[in-house]
Amino acid sequence: MPKSCQDLWLIGHSLNGFYSVMGSAMMESVYCNFTSLTGDEGFQKWIGYDDVKSAPVHFYGQRNFDFNTTGTPIPFELAVVKGGNAMDVPSGIFTAPRQGTYYFSFTGVAYLYSSDSASYNCYLYLNGDIIGSSHVRNKKAPVDQFRPFTLQSTLNLKKGDQLWVTFSYYGDSNSHLHDDNIHYTHFSGFMLEEEIVASV
């Protein structure tokens, strides 16, 4: 795999122009001036990074019904968008297919029900460890409210890393993640940038 204009010249390229070469972590774009000598300053000009992905990775899941099971990945009934076979919608678990940088966003509505106070905690897990959280709470009785919450994260993942969202609540056991055919729960994610070198 060529890493410079000199590598391209050594394998027989002779036309001036833009080329993709292997950088230290990503594909890079360079301009090669083969009319110059390899040691000249104008022989290679760095242009920037190539946005190269071996395959798209993205998903957008929704729920249709209330959910009140704590400590387990939140599953989804609908895969509105799904590419790359990374998100197992029924289990709610995302598995990174390749090393790179990913963005995730989770939004939902907590139904808080209690005669005193209630709170709802949403957790983002990576390989079994909490790496992010969101929290809503109401301390003034009576509690009978719908409260929106959101959680976003940008992460560097290795191939095989697993990510999911869970929740816990404090207060009456009727508190839950609310949803119906209006779809208040949204979980989406996509690869921003693949570390293509790690895939080669």
Side-chain angles (χ1 to χ4, degrees):
M1 178 69 76
K3 297 182 178 180
S4 65
C5 291
Q6 182 169 355
D7 289 350
L8 291 165
W9 178 74
L10 288 172
I11 60 176
H13 289 275
S14 59
L15 293 175
N16 297 343
F18 297 98
Y19 292 87
S20 292
V21 296
M22 181 73 76
S24 58
M26 300 173 55
M27 294 299 293
E28 299 180 2
S29 180
V30 294
Y31 178 78
C32 299
N33 181 0
F34 294 115
T35 58
S36 299
L37 298 175
T38 57
D40 290 351
E41 184 178 333
F43 180 70
Q44 175 175 310
K45 181 177 181 182
W46 187 79
I47 304 300
Y49 294 105
D50 280 350
D51 186 18
V52 176
K53 298 180 182 69
S54 57
V57 178
H58 52 265
F59 72 90
Y60 172 33
Q62 294 179 332
R63 286 193 54 77
N64 285 332
F65 310 102
D66 292 343
F67 185 74
N68 63 357
T69 305
T70 61
T72 186
I74 297 171
F76 299 88
E77 287 84 31
L78 297 175
V80 180
V81 174
K82 187 177 175 186
N85 296 318
M87 181 63 179
D88 182 35
V89 176
S91 74
I93 296 176
F94 175 89
T95 303
R98 291 177 300 283
Q99 185 168 320
T101 304
Y102 294 80
Y103 173 79
F104 299 94
S105 176
F106 182 81
T107 303
V109 172
Y111 174 64
L112 303 178
Y113 179 84
S114 174
S115 60
D116 182 18
S117 66
S119 63
Y120 187 100
N121 298 307
C122 176
Y123 302 109
L124 183 65
Y125 278 82
L126 175 60
N127 298 326
D129 297 319
I130 296 174
I131 58 165
S133 63
S134 183
H135 175 79
V136 293
R137 184 177 185 184
N138 195 320
K139 295 179 66 175
K140 296 181 179 180
V143 176
D144 187 2
Q145 295 189 18
F146 294 95
R147 299 284 300 273
F149 60 92
T150 186
L151 178 62
Q152 292 94 27
S153 188
T154 301
L155 300 167
N156 291 317
L157 301 182
K158 298 185 296 296
K159 181 179 180 180
D161 281 349
Q162 292 191 316
L163 183 133
W164 62 88
V165 179
T166 68
F167 78 92
S168 66
Y169 55 80
Y170 302 95
D172 188 275
S173 60
N174 286 321
S175 297
H176 56 262
L177 176 66
H178 174 70
D179 219 319
D180 55 30
N181 61 359
I182 302 297
H183 308 302
Y184 298 101
T185 308
H186 310 273
F187 189 29
S188 61
F190 51 90
M191 177 190 287
L192 292 169
E193 198 169 78
E194 180 177 354
E195 288 190 28
I196 201 76
V197 175
S199 303
V200 176

